[in-house]
Amino acid sequence: QDIIVDVDKNDERGMEMLIDEIKDDDIDKQEESDKNDTSNADVDEIVGKVKALSIEEKQDEDIDVKEEAIENITASVDEAIESEIKGWNGWISQDDGAKFPPEAGRYHLYLSAACPFSHAVLLVRKLKGLEDTIGVTSLYVTWKQNMRENIVEERGWVFADEETTHNSSFKDKPNSWGEIDPLFNSNSLKDLYEAADDTFGEYTIPLLWDKKQNTIVSNRPFDIIRMMNCEFNSLCKVPKLDLYPQENRKEIDAVNEWVYHTLNNGVFRCGLATTQEEYDKAIDDLTESFDRISFILQRNRFMSGSSFSEADIRLFVTMLRFDEVYYVYFKTNTRRVATCPSILNYTREIYQMKGVAETCDMDLIKAHYYTSHVEINKHCIIPKGDGFMDLLQAPHSRGEFPYV
């Protein structure tokens, strides 16, 4: 106290400096005490933040993996769509000097009845009576990863083998659930493409193979449909059936255009969307088209008029799968075939045409979709359904409808 007074009397500036020094020292001590008191809490907080960050990073990593896998599925669908524009686009023709003339036993189809576009091809083969002219091999129902030189490749279409045919849960199923490649004993569809020196990298089905030249003719499903419709009439059992008549081609092409983009491919746009905006656009397009189809079928017996055509085959293969697969799996839940009388009866009529039901295996279709995309259905659970196929066996009475 004497010192403070002395300093205060002799050096007011010194007094201020001393007070500041004492205050600073007190503050330092208080801060040190605070640090000691809260050190454990700080450590806990830091550990918590690290754990939270690790969890967040793991979640982000899982999301990235899932989105990447979905992108791979989307890419395979896009490849099928793109193959309509480029790729293997040979043409079987009756013209003199054609590279691929129609011959019995020369051509072979690789496909799966689970795939809607393959199913459309299989349907035309059946309706035209080409079973003895063009052979078929079915790929394995579930997408699998192919091993090549100890490298695991992306999942995709593979052929059955001894393990899948004898030891899998599908071992008692018919050949349509998966067969061994009879031509090359290939492990996967990719192997088959590479046997033809493919450079496009789009490993899609259906695939039409020329056994004489050992190459791919086409992997464009709608081209294959038209080749079978008109180029094999000298070899098929039902040459008079014309699914693409000259006088109705304009109407058929117009229907095919919007049905393909909004419905055939629209279900995939819904199911494989990676943003809400993508899904909303796809489901709105699909719903509008569904209602448009219902309106048309209340006035026309078939999609392009009074005659059954390829436009109806292309629509049928999607409608067959709509309630049991797309409504659940691809979130197309704004509409159902079962609750739309005009579309249900239309689907019934086609299903009940001679030979069509033989190509429709709903168990196969569901097994493929629900067990091939583990990113969407991790545990590969196959929903039971509510008896949609039973609905298709009821009378349709489409022939009695007073169409305008």
Side-chain angles (χ1 to χ4, degrees):
Q1 189 177 15
D2 293 340
I3 295 174
I4 294 175
V5 172
D6 185 62
V7 171
D8 183 54
K9 291 179 179 179
N10 296 289
D11 191 350
E12 185 175 348
R13 179 175 175 80
M15 176 66 172
E16 292 174 354
M17 292 177 61
L18 181 59
I19 292 173
D20 290 340
E21 183 178 343
I22 293 171
K23 287 181 178 179
D24 289 342
D25 184 58
D26 290 341
I27 291 172
D28 290 341
K29 289 180 179 179
Q30 183 62 45
E31 288 180 349
E32 183 68 25
S33 175
D34 292 341
K35 287 181 181 179
N36 292 334
D37 291 342
T38 61
S39 59
N40 291 335
D42 290 342
V43 170
D44 291 341
E45 182 180 356
I46 292 170
V47 170
K49 288 180 179 180
V50 169
K51 288 182 178 179
L53 184 59
S54 298
I55 293 172
E56 185 177 345
E57 289 177 345
K58 179 64 169 59
Q59 290 173 339
D60 289 343
E61 182 181 344
D62 290 343
I63 291 171
D64 289 343
V65 169
K66 184 173 182 179
E67 288 183 349
E68 181 181 357
I70 291 176
E71 285 173 3
N72 289 336
I73 299 171
T74 307
S76 69
V77 175
D78 290 341
E79 286 169 1
I81 298 165
E82 188 68 15
S83 69
E84 286 298 297
I85 302 171
K86 66 178 183 178
W88 294 91
N89 55 4
W91 193 272
I92 295 172
S93 173
Q94 302 176 64
D95 295 344
D96 293 339
K99 180 180 180 180
F100 302 110
E103 295 178 17
R106 174 171 174 171
Y107 301 101
H108 197 81
L109 279 166
Y110 290 96
L111 49 71
S112 171
C115 163
F117 300 142
S118 286
H119 188 189
V121 168
L122 199 61
L123 261 176
V124 175
R125 175 178 175 267
K126 184 70 176 179
L127 293 172
K128 292 289 291 187
L130 285 166
E131 297 97 318
D132 297 331
T133 302
I134 303 174
V136 168
T137 294
S138 296
L139 285 107
Y140 188 61
V141 59
T142 299
W143 283 2
K144 288 185 175 294
Q145 289 178 313
N146 186 41
M147 286 290 296
R148 186 184 303 213
E149 297 178 356
N150 296 323
I151 298 175
V152 180
E153 299 182 335
E154 290 181 3
R155 283 195 315 280
W157 292 107
V158 298
F159 290 95
D161 53 27
E162 290 300 319
E163 179 182 356
T164 55
T165 53
H166 296 293
N167 300 323
S168 76
S169 57
F170 305 139
K171 65 180 179 179
D172 296 326
K173 298 296 184 180
N175 289 343
S176 58
W177 286 60
E179 298 175 278
I180 295 171
D181 176 16
L183 301 184
F184 302 98
N185 197 30
S186 305
N187 291 323
S188 69
L189 184 65
K190 182 178 180 180
D191 294 340
L192 191 62
Y193 270 84
E194 291 183 349
D197 297 324
D198 176 78
T199 58
F200 299 104
E202 298 169 357
Y203 311 120
T204 60
I205 55 172
L207 182 150
L208 183 61
W209 186 270
D210 179 2
K211 294 191 288 185
K212 181 174 287 188
Q213 298 189 42
N214 269 339
T215 192
I216 298 169
V217 178
S218 178
N219 62 353
R220 300 171 66 168
F222 306 133
D223 282 358
I224 296 174
I225 284 174
R226 290 186 179 176
M227 283 186 265
M228 291 193 298
N229 176 62
C230 63
E231 302 297 345
F232 286 89
N233 281 337
S234 62
L235 300 169
C236 72
K237 297 176 182 177
V238 192
K240 291 185 179 180
L241 175 64
D242 189 357
L243 298 167
Y244 192 55
Q246 185 69 43
E247 67 276 9
N248 203 25
R249 290 183 178 180
K250 182 178 179 180
E251 291 79 4
I252 293 172
D253 289 342
V255 169
N256 286 342
E257 177 69 19
W258 63 266
V259 168
Y260 175 77
H261 289 291
T262 60
L263 204 75
N264 298 137
N265 185 44
V267 294
F268 292 97
R269 289 172 54 211
C270 290
L272 303 177
T274 56
T275 68
Q276 188 66 48
E277 291 74 15
E278 288 178 3
Y279 170 77
D280 289 342
K281 178 65 168 64
I283 193 63
D284 288 346
D285 290 345
L286 182 145
T287 304
E288 181 180 347
S289 287
F290 197 101
D291 292 343
R292 183 179 179 183
I293 290 167
S294 176
F295 182 83
I296 290 171
L297 293 177
Q298 290 175 46
R299 289 154 179 78
N300 295 335
R301 185 166 183 176
F302 298 105
M303 283 299 294
S304 60
S306 59
S307 299
F308 179 68
S309 74
E310 69 168 45
D312 300 295
I313 290 176
R314 291 170 59 156
L315 176 59
F316 171 78
V317 295
T318 294
M319 289 306 184
L320 180 72
R321 293 157 173 76
F322 200 91
D323 287 19
E324 292 277 18
V325 177
Y326 303 140
Y327 182 91
V328 179
Y329 202 47
F330 285 170
K331 301 179 284 291
T332 62
N333 57 355
T334 58
R335 296 291 185 272
R336 291 181 67 201
V337 172
T339 57
C340 181
S342 60
I343 296 180
L344 175 59
N345 282 315
Y346 164 83
T347 307
R348 278 175 174 152
E349 179 174 15
I350 297 175
Y351 179 78
Q352 293 172 21
M353 290 180 179
K354 184 179 179 180
V356 173
E358 299 171 30
T359 70
C360 303
D361 186 341
M362 186 57 70
D363 288 339
L364 167 68
I365 292 169
K366 290 168 65 173
H368 165 67
Y369 279 95
Y370 289 108
T371 66
S372 291
H373 311 139
V374 295
E375 302 81 11
I376 301 176
N377 188 23
K378 180 178 180 181
H379 299 291
C380 298
I381 304 300
I382 302 175
K384 184 176 181 179
D386 59 356
F388 176 76
M389 296 304 288
D390 293 336
L391 294 178
L392 298 185
Q393 299 180 39
H396 59 79
S397 68
R398 290 286 289 173
E400 304 171 8
F401 197 90
Y403 304 104
V404 294

